[in-house]
Amino acid sequence: MPHADSPASFLDTPTGFRSWLLTHDHKRIGILYAIAITAFFFVGGAAAVLIRTELATPQGDVLTADGYNEAFTVHGVVMVWFFLIPSIPSVLGNILLPLMLGARDLAFPRLNLASWYLYALGGIFTIACLIAGGADTGWTFYTPFSTLFSNSNVLLVVVGVFIVGFSSILTGLNFIVTIHRMRAPGMHWFRMPLFAWTMYATSLVMILATPVLSMTLVLIGLERVFGVGIFDPALGGDPLLFQHLFWFYSHPAVYIMVLPAMGVVSEIIPCFVRKRIFGYRFMIYSIMAIAIVGFFVWGHHMFVSGQSMYAGIVFSLLSFVVAIPSAIKVFNWTATLYKGSITFEAPMLYALGFVGLFLLGGLTGLFLAATALDVHLTDTYFVVAHFHYIMVGGAVMAYMGGIHFWWPKVTGRLYPEAWARFAAILMFFGFNFTFLPQFVLGFLGMPRRYHSYDPEFGLLNAFSSGGAAVLATAYLLPLGYLSWSLFYGARSPANPWAATGLEWQTSSPPPTHNFLETPRVDGGPYEYSPSQAEAEAEARA
Amino acid sequence: MSRAVSPAEQFDDIEQQSGAATFGMWVFLATEVLFFGVLFAAYAYCRVQDPQGFVLASRHTDLLLGGIESVILLLSAAAAAWATALLRRDENRASAALLWCAAGLGALFMALHLYEYWKDYGEGLVPGLRFTYTGLHAQTVERFYALYYAMTLVHLLHLLIGIVLLAFYAREVRRQRIGAAYASPVMCVALYWDFVDMVWIFLFPMLYLLDRS
């Protein structure tokens, strides 16, 4: 093992296959996660291609109705649990959190490795389900369909999701303890970068919401195997109970996906504006408010399920409340841009794309939070478009932005800027091309989860499928040029963006224990100054 | 005898490591509360729908055995807590003995509870395997027992993990591999064990004590 004073990077020493698979280094575990979730991203993406190919024409001609159900189930399960939830926390958070706090590693490195293996094991069960013929319940596993009626391999995928849940619980636990106990001297709570704050809020949601899903899945398993009636009305159970428990996890899960995205964007924007972030403390308060209020809005998924009218009213109100901190964040990002020296490198393009798409996704969420309008829009493509704006337009754009921003930090190489900008713009265009028509389709009444539809919806669906082809291309581009840059990219200086975060104070890629000596922190995280920006502009000119 | 212990490489000193370990266990227990919370919520939801059925079903549980089990588990928790206090004062021998004692009482609890399961099986009160009750509120009684088994089985699984950990650390303490200089692992196991007992303190009245007048 290299000592803290050896200058070798974490990528070079120690060498060998075993040193990667048994590593305790948070940065290497982050890379293991990156490889695994990229593989799952393309599994889920392949299912999306099947779905959009089927929907390109009104007739159900590519897939059978059952095959279509299986395709969207795979797409949902894989994208939610095996890509979106672990994406930013487990990849970027793992790599960056100790660096940003000035720590040598996470508090529990072995637990960190264990969480990656749990992820892999959960993945194996899910892939096994796929090979055995797939499941057809949708990612929501609604009872009694999932417990009594479905003849597909529900149990395999339920076990897979159960296991991967523990991976995210352990990651959350590790992050919380690390943030509480491992900060460098001088790193107060209110000197932490916003990305670290979003990791904290996300971890809270992970440890408090995920166990609810786990136990609910156990009950599904019991009901399916032993036929005991907890959720099944034929046996005296209640499907509403299942929906409450499921959404108690799955609504906060949306914040597991989008809070980290907000953190990434809050790091990128000040760097490419050369300004301190506007309203740092209010950003923190709104991060925490989103995480906390997010626990009390799950009932807006159940407005038409038969829950009481009064429950509906309270959940509707609280869903409107959660929009306030989200809006504060959008205003603060916008105010940060004001009078800044903005440059448009690829990470910034992704970050700006995030702000726009998140805004649209968030505002259409308010449509759905209104109980009366929701009755009309429930189970239509309007809902599909809304949550894809948040989860793909928001979370995936930010993940891509983060990958580009910290690429030189982790790999020590520069990516090709022109290609990256092209991919970012293509992704933004392809995304809107795919999902904007779906708002209209949903408003016109096209229901989700059917493999064929009325011919009058044909044109807009053809648009959407065309956009999906553009989007797929845009996702393949970074895979190509980033892989290329690993071998042929120019060597990066330690701090190519002249960014102020603690993670940029060490070499790129960092040594195994991150810092040659523990840094002392004596200022806030975004000490960008106008004079510095002018000096850099002069240096460029 | 306590030796100087060096911290793991990510920590600055042993105090930081102790703090992280204990805090980590508290965070884990927060997760556990929500994990069991689903079962408590399901119980509340089902009981509100048919309170009489729940009362009827609960009369088929064995109050005496349940009471004895509760006492055993409380004694076991006290032993684990005492063991931690003794370890802090460097009394490894007595500490190890108490840890063995806690593990043994835990095993006794498990044995008695498995005996209850066997009795239930004889009476046809195990949903999914052998359920023959056909009296009043039969459907609710079956749901009660479904929840009873879900709750107590998850609890027993936790108990089993706790017993293994207690036994493992009893050995470590006895062999002086853990001492007053770094007592956190034992402290964490004791915390976990107290939590598992606490769950039972809620389960016992919920499952055994409904309107036994």
Side-chain angles (χ1 to χ4, degrees), chain A residues 1 104-109 169 173 176-177 180-182 207-208 211-212 214-216 219 222 226 228-230 234-238 240-241 245 248 513, chain B residues 8-12 16 19-21 23-25 27-28 30-32 34-36 38-39 41-42 45-46 49 127-129 139 142-143 146-147 150 154:
Chain A
M1 289 291 289
R104 285 191 285 279
D105 204 322
L106 289 173
F108 307 118
I169 290 172
L173 187 154
I176 289 177
V177 176
H180 271 268
R181 301 279 167 168
M182 311 286 282
I207 64 152
L208 296 179
V212 174
S214 309
M215 186 54 88
T216 309
L219 292 179
L222 284 180
F226 294 105
V228 298
I230 294 167
L235 301 167
D238 193 337
L240 258 192
L241 174 62
L245 294 173
F248 184 86
H513 286 301
Chain B
E9 56 189 3
Q10 71 272 28
F11 295 110
D12 291 330
Q16 193 189 23
F23 184 62
M25 183 46 85
V27 176
F28 177 70
T31 295
E32 291 275 54
L34 272 292
F35 192 60
F36 279 101
V38 172
L39 295 171
Y45 196 98
C46 297
Q49 285 180 336
L129 291 179
Q139 224 172 30
E142 186 169 357
R143 281 173 92 193
L147 283 169
V154 173

Side-chain angles (χ1 to χ4, degrees), chain A residues 204-206 208-209 248 251-252 255 290-298:
Chain A
L204 281 178
V205 181
M206 279 174 164
L208 296 179
F248 184 86
H251 191 76
Y255 300 111
I290 291 170
I292 293 163
V293 181
F295 269 104
F296 302 100
V297 301
W298 78 86

Side-chain angles (χ1 to χ4, degrees), chain A residues 452-471:
Chain A
S452 60
Y453 52 85
D454 289 344
E456 62 189 271
F457 299 129
L459 182 64
L460 285 168
N461 267 300
F463 266 120
S464 185
S465 291
V470 177
L471 191 56

